[in-house]
Amino acid sequence: MCAHVLVAEDDAMQAELIRRSLLAEGHTATVVHDGAAALDAVRRGRPDLVVLDLMLPVIDGFGVCRVLRRDDDIPVLMLTARAAEDDILLGLELGADDYMTKPYSPRELMARIRTVLRRSGRPGGDRRDDPVVRAAGLAVDPERHEVRCAGAPVECTPAEFQILLAMAAEPERVFTRRQLLQCTRGFDRSSTERAVDVHIMNLRRKIETDPRRPVRLLTVFGVGYKLSGGPA
């Protein structure tokens, strides 16, 4: 069974990256950008887990966690750019189930989410269903970190894998270079948006019969790239 995860993160790009990663894992997600909206979303939807940034506007993550623990038992995974021990201990004392410090890899975050869901007995913690994301003749396995194209294995760098995973999770969606760059955070921190073009070029060499005339990984001029072919 999939879980419904509330993502409370004021950085829109980080929130979108988490949302796409959750979709790739088979979960559903609601995204909010401040603490008051997070509490309102919990009251309206009762998610299975809250991914909670500590540095939220309106009501910070500590305040949100305090209210959640007073009123509910929803699992909370904290995200913080502040690695100070006092901040982490305060969050745990308020009842957070786990924490991660930024920057983090999407793959590690999804593993932590599965662990928290499993410990709490919520849906999505015991993944017996197939985690592989399939689209456009590709099979992208986020647990084994493997890619196959028409059944043949494809060797990808960590940054290439994260780009392909995001695009396979939402085939036909057009991604900007900035959005694809965000997928590589934690693996390729020094990259610029132009580096995305290099990743795309390398991926085309690996998954296209003729990289000069791609049929899977297409350029949308003036916008970015998309994976064409639909879900498999």
Side-chain angles (χ1 to χ4, degrees):
M1 293 177 63
C2 70
H4 179 63
V5 180
L6 173 64
V7 179
E9 165 65 74
D10 67 329
D11 185 313
M13 293 185 66
Q14 286 287 332
E16 176 63 8
L17 177 59
I18 297 169
R19 187 188 72 85
R20 290 199 306 264
S21 298
L22 288 165
L23 292 178
E25 288 274 302
H27 302 305
T28 60
T30 298
V31 175
V32 297
H33 301 295
D34 66 69
L39 293 174
D40 184 57
V42 168
R43 285 190 288 266
R44 288 185 287 106
R46 292 210 85 262
D48 296 300
L49 181 141
V50 178
V51 176
L52 180 64
D53 181 30
L54 288 184
M55 302 299 290
L56 291 173
V58 186
I59 302 174
D60 66 15
F62 295 118
V64 172
C65 194
R66 188 177 290 110
V67 173
L68 289 178
R69 279 299 163 266
R70 185 187 67 204
D71 299 338
D72 215 316
D73 63 349
I74 296 171
V76 175
L77 191 157
M78 295 189 316
L79 301 176
T80 178
R82 305 188 303 188
E85 185 179 17
D86 287 347
D87 289 339
I88 294 168
L89 289 176
L90 176 57
L92 295 174
E93 287 172 2
L94 288 172
D97 297 85
D98 200 357
Y99 72 92
M100 289 190 70
T101 56
K102 300 177 181 180
Y104 52 81
S105 77
R107 189 181 181 197
E108 181 183 1
L109 177 59
M110 293 304 108
R112 294 285 192 95
I113 285 173
R114 287 195 298 272
T115 298
V116 173
L117 289 170
R118 183 170 59 249
R119 284 200 310 245
S120 63
R122 303 274 172 152
D126 188 4
R127 292 296 306 277
R128 293 188 178 91
D129 54 318
D130 186 2
V132 179
V133 180
R134 293 180 173 86
L138 301 170
V140 186
D141 188 334
E143 293 189 353
R144 293 183 174 85
H145 211 265
E146 294 176 350
V147 176
R148 289 185 175 271
C149 180
V154 177
E155 293 295 328
C156 292
T157 67
E160 291 167 0
F161 182 88
Q162 292 301 326
I163 288 173
L164 209 53
L165 177 60
M167 299 182 82
E170 299 185 75
E172 301 295 342
R173 173 184 168 177
V174 180
F175 290 83
T176 66
R177 288 180 177 85
R178 186 176 178 84
Q179 288 169 332
L180 291 174
L181 177 63
Q182 192 66 27
C183 296
T184 73
R185 295 304 191 198
F187 299 102
D188 206 1
R189 296 177 196 170
S190 62
S191 288
T192 65
E193 289 185 26
R194 300 306 301 178
V196 170
D197 295 334
V198 177
H199 293 314
I200 294 294
M201 180 178 65
N202 290 335
L203 283 169
R204 281 174 172 161
R205 291 193 184 113
K206 297 173 182 182
I207 69 172
E208 299 284 1
T209 302
D210 183 353
R212 294 171 300 177
R213 297 179 177 85
V215 297
R216 289 188 174 95
L217 203 46
L218 304 182
T219 299
V220 179
F221 292 101
V223 185
Y225 300 99
K226 72 174 182 177
L227 186 67
S228 183

